[in-house]
Amino acid sequence: MPTVKGFKFSGVSSGLKSGRNNKDVALIVSEVPAHAAAVVTTSRVKAAPIQICLKRQKSGKGQAVIVNSGNANACTGPQGLKDAQTMCRETAKALGIAESLVWVASTGKIGEMLPLAKIQQGIQESVQKLSATGYQEAAQAILTTDQFTKYAHRKGTIGSKAYSLLGIAKGAGMIMPQMSPTGHATMLAFILTDAAINPTTLKGMLTRCVDPTFNAITVDGDTSTNDMVLILANGQAGNPPLKANVKGAQQFEKHLFEVCHELAQMMVRDGEGATKVVQIDVKGARNPQAAEKIARTVGNSLLVKTAFFGEDPNWGRLLGAAGRAGVALDPDKVDLYYDKVCLVKKGACVSPQAEEQAKKVAQQASFIVTLDLHMGKGSYTLYSSDLGHNYVQLNSEYRT
Amino acid sequence: MPTVKGFKFSGVSSGLKSGRNNKDVALIVSEVPAHAAAVVTTSRVKAAPIQICLKRQKSGKGQAVIVNSGNANACTGPQGLKDAQTMCRETAKALGIAESLVWVASTGKIGEMLPLAKIQQGIQESVQKLSATGYQEAAQAILTTDQFTKYAHRKGTIGSKAYSLLGIAKGAGMIMPQMSPTGHATMLAFILTDAAINPTTLKGMLTRCVDPTFNAITVDGDTSTNDMVLILANGQAGNPPLKANVKGAQQFEKHLFEVCHELAQMMVRDGEGATKVVQIDVKGARNPQAAEKIARTVGNSLLVKTAFFGEDPNWGRLLGAAGRAGVALDPDKVDLYYDKVCLVKKGACVSPQAEEQAKKVAQQASFIVTLDLHMGKGSYTLYSSDLGHNYVQLNSEYRT
């Protein structure tokens, strides 16, 4: 069972959620104050806890994270902000640490006031139940429509010092994170490490790792009001603090990237109503921005996503979506692949045989669609899911 | 039965489509050459017939329109372009008119070559069957996944001369037209009038009427490769040609707007799998562009559209979508209405009673959601539909 030196976890039930998994308050605590870096949603509608975290950002410090699921505390006005502050204050008090060291996150229904009395009770209980191996309970307590808990782990050494890196995450719907250090998603991920890292280096690593992972996934194209990735590095591994170009930094960043990538992939796999993960590789675009625009337009197209669900290699819809992305594209130059099967060459279908082969690829649980525009060197990779009946079922009944 | 002086119509079956409505070739002919104006899709992937129409644009003339459904002749390369030319040539020959006066349109599956022999036979038959009252057959022959035929009619007088204005249209899926005189959708609309109109005036009127009607609807956010609105004015009413600021021009433009509006509304009502038409009014934005961006993000949000389907006045999702539109917005200033029910005031829910009342509004077949941002005077109206199981069913099985 993975542990991270100096970190404890718990997940308890306070009555906000019903059903099989009714854990709804998670607590993560470091024995000592840690360096903290976070990226949050760029939405103009930011949930109350996100507003608090943007303040914590400035100090770059953190020792605890209190999280509730079942209620997003978003669109809740000044009272919502007070409630998020109360969550921090009560947690700080129960732990005997400074309030400014407590980070807070919420996920669930938008527009309803937090049932604060229940959460306060949850906070007390979660402090009692802290343990070094409690991360599974914490990972459970942050879930909403998720089908499974999500965590990833890496170990390494810096010189003679062993470090550990553990991430837990949630997210299945309202998923197209677009996070920045000043800016938004609801996906939540908390990454804990005992490695010692210089704060600026930590921030840079997190931003670089989040962009091609969490920020490169989409389930339904709906960026959330509550998205956040937070990393806490408490230095308990005892290594000389990592800086850019210092031995070990590269390996640590690779591990951080892998943890982010694994967690992000789990979210797409667990996408609401999703049955497939489709990697959309756009290359040969004029520049990376153009490639990203096309990948996002294709990956969020309803016609493309329902074709994925129907296991139909419908390249006409893919090209149609690419064409409306608002960037330069010459349809007569485009090649399109399903995994290694070249289905379209210079804008036209290669052969009925290729179509048969592509159909087999499209029946897989995950595959890669590559669009080569042959116009330049810009490329982008987006991870998307299909759109099936269960998405409609879930979202016409469940209130987020 | 509405007629337009000097115009004849037909719709026949050539074997491209099966099922109850198997008409698939439509022909519209004017006795004399008419002034023509068109707006076409702005997609970078333009179907072959659209490329031909962009050439016809330059002359501003037209006498016939040949249309097939069942195959979009899009992503079909140089052969597709030749095929569209052949459609024009054969039609011109059979009618004994110049090829340059024949416009062409296609709608249906993307990426398959036209079965030209069948269509050529359809052209011959359609010429035989032309009649002044055949517009219903023509309206039937241009349909694909549509549930019903779409036409609208207005009559008026200019001085002592009576004029008639008739529009036929198709469109149910791949609907978020973004058309311009140089640019793309698959919706098709053909508007015929016997009024005499100056070509520049005709072009101006069409552009002004299309923007708040066809260009302001969305079913699935997927702009098509084949969208087009074409108007032919053959002058047979005998009025002195209409120019800007000439008596009668304003009334005629009002009628043209009404025909466009009616046809556009029918498309949303007939949206694939749609059960509701929701008008999204954004006002109080910094400028009209910001208002449009928010309206489109809200109107295309999967979470919003599935909430519409679920008849849930889920204002949190509406605000969440508005927040990710990428334009300035202060959530604490936003008011939100379902028809006349004020559900959200300054970013917070008004009362449980208001929520009950909004729920009743959301159960209607059509209603208006108003978002007032209180930041300026910019406004925009978008017509959207809900997203239900039938959309997924249809588009995971049907190949567009």
Side-chain angles (χ1 to χ4, degrees):
Chain A
M1 221 175 212
T3 56
V4 194
K5 223 176 277 173
F7 278 103
K8 288 182 177 173
F9 310 83
S10 64
V12 303
S13 169
S14 76
L16 270 78
K17 250 171 40 184
S18 53
R20 262 185 317 163
N21 168 23
N22 64 0
K23 287 198 169 60
D24 46 31
V25 171
L27 179 62
I28 303 171
V29 182
S30 169
E31 278 175 11
V32 296
H35 288 308
V39 289
V40 303
T41 184
T42 49
S43 174
R44 306 291 172 126
V45 179
K46 289 181 174 59
I50 293 291
Q51 295 176 46
I52 305 247
C53 291
L54 283 170
K55 282 186 198 170
R56 303 281 185 265
Q57 232 1 355
K58 290 171 193 164
S59 74
K61 293 263 177 198
Q63 190 167 0
V65 193
I66 183 77
V67 191
N68 75 278
S69 57
N71 183 313
N73 195 7
C75 300
T76 46
Q79 184 60 45
L81 200 60
K82 270 189 205 163
D83 291 350
Q85 276 161 345
T86 304
M87 282 177 70
C88 293
R89 194 175 56 243
E90 296 287 319
T91 305
K93 221 158 83 181
L95 291 169
I97 65 173
E99 186 183 328
S100 62
L101 290 174
V102 183
W103 292 63
V104 58
S106 297
T107 180
K109 292 175 199 167
I110 297 177
E112 289 182 15
M113 289 299 159
L114 274 186
L116 203 56
K118 287 181 182 176
I119 291 180
Q120 282 174 316
Q121 208 171 334
I123 291 172
Q124 299 308 322
E125 197 186 330
S126 67
V127 171
Q128 300 306 316
K129 296 215 167 147
L130 283 169
S131 89
T133 56
Y135 68 91
Q136 278 174 311
E137 284 74 24
Q140 250 183 305
I142 64 176
L143 304 185
T144 55
T145 54
D146 305 63
Q147 301 285 313
F148 54 85
T149 53
K150 299 167 181 68
Y151 50 89
H153 183 242
R154 287 293 183 281
K155 286 194 291 193
T157 52
I158 301 166
S160 62
K161 306 294 184 180
Y163 70 84
S164 174
L165 188 62
L166 173 70
I168 67 169
K170 66 85 54 176
M174 213 179 213
I175 295 291
M176 183 171 83
Q178 302 190 55
M179 297 176 289
S180 82
T182 55
H184 7 214
T186 296
M187 52 131 304
L188 296 175
F190 306 104
I191 304 169
L192 303 322
T193 182
D194 44 23
I197 313 178
N198 168 292
T200 315
T201 305
L202 186 65
K203 200 174 163 181
M205 282 183 177
L206 183 68
T207 307
R208 283 193 296 276
C209 289
V210 165
D211 260 341
T213 58
F214 296 114
N215 279 353
I217 63 172
T218 182
V219 170
D220 48 19
D222 264 305
T223 307
S224 158
T225 49
N226 291 54
D227 293 336
M228 174 161 75
V229 180
L230 170 66
I231 183 165
L232 294 177
N234 72 5
Q236 296 300 287
N239 60 293
L242 290 178
K243 288 182 201 172
N245 304 321
V246 154
K247 196 174 181 258
Q250 217 173 348
Q251 183 197 256
F252 180 84
E253 184 164 340
K254 181 170 170 281
H255 282 163
L256 178 58
F257 173 84
E258 288 170 2
V259 165
C260 291
H261 182 72
E262 257 182 54
L263 293 173
Q265 292 296 308
M266 288 181 201
M267 285 179 200
V268 185
R269 212 168 68 225
D270 199 11
E272 289 176 355
T275 66
K276 290 176 194 299
V277 176
V278 185
Q279 177 178 334
I280 296 167
D281 280 353
V282 175
K283 56 187 198 181
R286 285 232 175 116
N287 52 53
Q289 292 74 30
E292 178 173 352
K293 245 181 157 178
I294 288 179
R296 287 196 187 272
T297 307
V298 170
N300 285 316
S301 155
L302 284 186
L303 287 170
V304 168
K305 287 171 92 81
T306 47
F308 286 158
F309 179 66
E311 304 189 331
D312 177 10
N314 194 324
W315 61 273
R317 289 187 189 174
L318 283 155
L319 252 64
R324 68 174 172 89
V327 301
L329 178 153
D330 179 351
D332 296 337
K333 283 187 180 171
V334 178
D335 297 342
L336 189 151
Y337 297 77
Y338 270 71
D339 279 351
K340 287 179 180 172
V341 179
C342 181
L343 177 57
V344 174
K345 195 86 196 166
K346 296 189 185 218
C349 185
V350 167
S351 68
Q353 290 75 18
E355 204 152 1
E356 275 311 304
Q357 290 171 329
K359 204 164 173 56
K360 278 187 193 134
V361 173
Q363 286 163 359
Q364 297 168 176
S366 72
F367 54 91
I368 303 172
V369 170
T370 306
L371 274 152
D372 192 341
L373 311 185
H374 293 291
M375 299 187 83
K377 290 184 181 296
S379 68
Y380 189 80
T381 295
L382 181 79
Y383 303 91
S384 185
S385 57
D386 59 345
L387 184 90
H389 287 291
N390 288 340
Y391 183 90
V392 175
Q393 191 66 28
L394 202 58
N395 284 297
S396 54
E397 289 180 354
Y398 174 79
R399 173 173 270 214
T400 46
Chain B
M1 222 175 211
T3 56
V4 193
K5 225 175 276 172
F7 277 103
K8 287 183 176 172
F9 310 83
S10 64
V12 303
S13 168
S14 76
L16 272 78
K17 250 170 43 183
S18 52
R20 264 185 314 162
N21 168 21
N22 63 1
K23 287 198 170 61
D24 46 30
V25 171
L27 178 62
I28 304 172
V29 182
S30 169
E31 279 174 12
V32 295
H35 288 308
V39 289
V40 303
T41 184
T42 49
S43 173
R44 306 293 173 125
V45 179
K46 287 182 177 58
I50 293 291
Q51 296 175 46
I52 304 252
C53 292
L54 283 170
K55 283 187 196 168
R56 301 282 185 266
Q57 242 344 8
K58 290 172 193 163
S59 73
K61 295 263 176 197
Q63 190 167 358
V65 193
I66 183 78
V67 192
N68 75 277
S69 57
N71 183 313
N73 195 6
C75 301
T76 46
Q79 184 60 45
L81 201 58
K82 271 189 205 161
D83 292 348
Q85 276 160 346
T86 304
M87 282 178 69
C88 293
R89 196 175 55 243
E90 297 286 319
T91 306
K93 221 159 80 182
L95 291 169
I97 64 173
E99 187 182 329
S100 62
L101 290 174
V102 182
W103 292 64
V104 58
S106 299
T107 180
K109 291 175 198 164
I110 297 177
E112 291 182 14
M113 290 299 158
L114 275 186
L116 203 54
K118 288 181 183 175
I119 290 180
Q120 283 174 313
Q121 209 172 333
I123 291 172
Q124 299 308 322
E125 197 186 330
S126 67
V127 171
Q128 299 306 316
K129 296 216 169 144
L130 283 169
S131 87
T133 55
Y135 68 90
Q136 279 175 310
E137 284 73 27
Q140 250 184 307
I142 64 176
L143 304 184
T144 55
T145 56
D146 305 63
Q147 301 285 313
F148 54 85
T149 52
K150 298 169 182 67
Y151 51 89
H153 183 240
R154 287 293 182 282
K155 286 194 290 193
T157 53
I158 302 166
S160 62
K161 306 294 185 182
Y163 69 82
S164 175
L165 189 62
L166 173 69
I168 67 170
K170 68 83 56 176
M174 214 179 213
I175 295 292
M176 184 172 82
Q178 300 189 57
M179 296 175 288
S180 82
T182 54
H184 357 215
T186 298
M187 53 132 302
L188 296 176
F190 305 104
I191 304 170
L192 301 322
T193 183
D194 44 23
I197 313 176
N198 168 291
T200 315
T201 305
L202 186 65
K203 201 173 163 182
M205 282 183 177
L206 184 68
T207 309
R208 283 193 297 276
C209 289
V210 165
D211 260 342
T213 58
F214 295 114
N215 279 352
I217 63 172
T218 183
V219 170
D220 48 19
D222 263 304
T223 306
S224 158
T225 49
N226 291 53
D227 294 335
M228 173 162 75
V229 180
L230 170 66
I231 183 166
L232 294 178
N234 71 4
Q236 296 298 289
N239 61 291
L242 290 177
K243 289 182 199 171
N245 303 321
V246 154
K247 197 172 179 254
Q250 216 173 349
Q251 184 198 255
F252 180 85
E253 183 163 340
K254 181 171 171 279
H255 282 163
L256 178 60
F257 173 84
E258 287 171 3
V259 165
C260 292
H261 181 71
E262 256 183 54
L263 293 173
Q265 292 296 307
M266 287 181 201
M267 286 180 200
V268 185
R269 214 168 68 225
D270 199 11
E272 290 176 354
T275 66
K276 289 175 194 302
V277 176
V278 185
Q279 176 178 336
I280 296 166
D281 280 352
V282 175
K283 54 188 200 180
R286 286 231 175 117
N287 52 53
Q289 292 73 30
E292 178 174 352
K293 244 180 158 178
I294 289 179
R296 288 197 186 270
T297 308
V298 169
N300 285 316
S301 155
L302 283 186
L303 287 170
V304 168
K305 287 170 93 78
T306 48
F308 286 157
F309 180 66
E311 304 190 329
D312 177 10
N314 194 323
W315 61 273
R317 288 188 190 175
L318 282 155
L319 253 65
R324 69 173 172 89
V327 301
L329 178 153
D330 179 350
D332 295 337
K333 282 187 180 172
V334 178
D335 298 343
L336 189 150
Y337 297 77
Y338 270 70
D339 278 351
K340 287 178 178 172
V341 178
C342 180
L343 177 57
V344 175
K345 194 86 195 165
K346 296 188 185 216
C349 186
V350 168
S351 69
Q353 290 76 16
E355 204 152 359
E356 276 311 304
Q357 289 171 329
K359 206 167 169 53
K360 277 187 194 136
V361 173
Q363 286 162 1
Q364 298 167 177
S366 73
F367 55 90
I368 303 172
V369 170
T370 306
L371 275 152
D372 192 341
L373 312 183
H374 293 291
M375 296 187 86
K377 290 183 182 296
S379 68
Y380 189 81
T381 295
L382 181 78
Y383 302 91
S384 184
S385 57
D386 59 344
L387 185 90
H389 288 293
N390 289 340
Y391 184 90
V392 175
Q393 190 66 28
L394 201 58
N395 284 297
S396 55
E397 288 180 354
Y398 174 80
R399 172 172 270 213
T400 47

